[in-house]
Amino acid sequence: PLIDVDDLEEFAIRPAPQGVTVKCRITRDKKGMDRGMYPTYYLHLEREHGKKVFLLAGRKRKKSKTSNYLISIDPTDLSRGGESFIGKLRSNLMGTKFTVYDNGVNPVKTTSSLEASILRQELAAIAHETNVLGFKGPRKMSVIIPGMNMDHERVSIRPRNEHETLLARWQNKNTESVIELHNKTPVWNDDTQSYVLNFHGRVTQASVKNFQIIHDNDPDYIVMQFGRVAEDVFTMDYNYPMCALQAFAIALSSFDSKLACE
């Protein structure tokens, strides 16, 4: 089935079609003066015969107290005020928890009479946890995304305050209308003396950053997977109910996580 990406903005937040794995790749561009510190990440949809279609670009904002990535549907315009700004990823001060927003308005900047529909949606939250083995062992990651309604549409989560956020709901075990996902625990392989996951050929280089995201009820259904295939090239595949913006932001959080010691 050909995945329709004519309207990038609409496509980016549309859940993957059921039964179809959307296969993408991320390239990291470190060229240029400050790109070493602030690389630009490009997400492309893979088509047959090696063709690629641009989907999203992401880049960390400078002079931001916490990690803050802007995500755009224009590879050349990564500005906050630009027409193409579609979402952002922001971390807490520790760099261990992240929230993904769409391009709606921050509730702090609005008056209460404002329509709820222009308030920003939270599309995902990611918590990276250190493990007992420090950096040697597999990392633990929880991903919280809004649930789906009976019509397979995403439940709209537009927090007005700290208590309504995805992270707060998750921490308070109030997981009604949200889906909690985890990374699949890699299996220890004696031959290679390392932890491994089966990416079925989609990942060719071992890296502590490779991961697969699953729901505990169905560990064989891979909601998303991410892994390295070359120095600055990574594959990123996702399935229903995830969308491109959620998956790309989760991948960006993994690049950024303070726990990623490479």
Side-chain angles (χ1 to χ4, degrees), residues 29-223:
D29 178 9
K30 293 176 171 167
K31 293 187 273 302
M33 276 288 286
D34 55 1
R35 288 271 175 92
M37 281 290 290
Y38 299 95
T40 306
Y41 298 90
Y42 299 103
L43 179 70
H44 285 83
L45 178 69
E46 291 185 359
R47 291 265 202 235
E48 53 286 348
H49 315 307
K51 289 206 189 81
K52 299 199 313 239
V53 182
F54 171 80
L55 297 176
L56 295 168
R59 190 171 187 212
K60 196 173 185 170
R61 294 184 76 175
K62 297 175 199 138
K63 304 189 181 63
S64 195
K65 285 195 285 292
T66 58
S67 289
N68 191 336
Y69 287 79
L70 292 185
I71 300 171
S72 166
I73 50 173
D74 179 343
T76 61
D77 178 12
L78 283 149
S79 63
R80 177 75 174 81
E83 283 289 286
S84 315
F85 168 68
I86 191 173
K88 73 180 211 179
L89 167 76
R90 202 183 67 211
S91 82
N92 62 353
L93 282 167
M94 297 286 294
T96 52
K97 293 188 172 72
F98 294 80
T99 302
V100 184
Y101 303 97
D102 70 0
N103 55 5
V105 180
N106 182 337
V108 175
K109 297 182 176 150
T110 63
T111 54
S112 53
S113 59
L114 221 67
E115 282 179 69
S117 64
I118 69 159
L119 279 181
R120 66 186 181 190
Q121 280 191 77
E122 286 194 4
L123 292 173
I126 306 109
H128 293 273
E129 301 157 54
T130 42
N131 59 14
V132 246
L133 300 169
F135 297 119
K136 296 280 186 291
R139 302 190 301 162
K140 280 191 68 172
M141 189 173 166
S142 299
V143 173
I144 306 94
I145 58 174
M148 307 301 277
N149 64 19
M150 298 313 264
D151 299 325
H152 302 294
E153 292 159 344
R154 185 182 302 113
V155 175
S156 168
I157 294 192
R158 301 177 191 272
R160 290 183 169 279
N161 57 52
E162 284 303 305
H163 307 296
E164 297 175 358
T165 64
L166 284 173
L167 281 169
R169 291 171 191 227
W170 175 66
Q171 275 153 345
N172 300 328
K173 305 274 187 284
N174 168 23
T175 48
E176 188 198 351
S177 73
V178 303
I179 300 170
E180 182 178 344
L181 305 165
H182 296 105
N183 64 320
K184 194 169 188 168
T185 309
V187 186
W188 179 256
N189 179 327
D190 267 340
D191 296 341
T192 59
Q193 288 290 300
S194 61
Y195 288 94
V196 290
L197 289 164
N198 184 356
F199 288 93
H200 301 287
R202 291 286 290 157
V203 174
T204 53
Q205 290 197 3
S207 166
V208 293
K209 289 194 163 77
N210 298 349
F211 63 83
Q212 290 176 324
I213 300 287
I214 53 162
H215 191 282
D216 291 351
N217 294 352
D218 186 0
D220 293 327
Y221 180 75
I222 307 290
V223 182

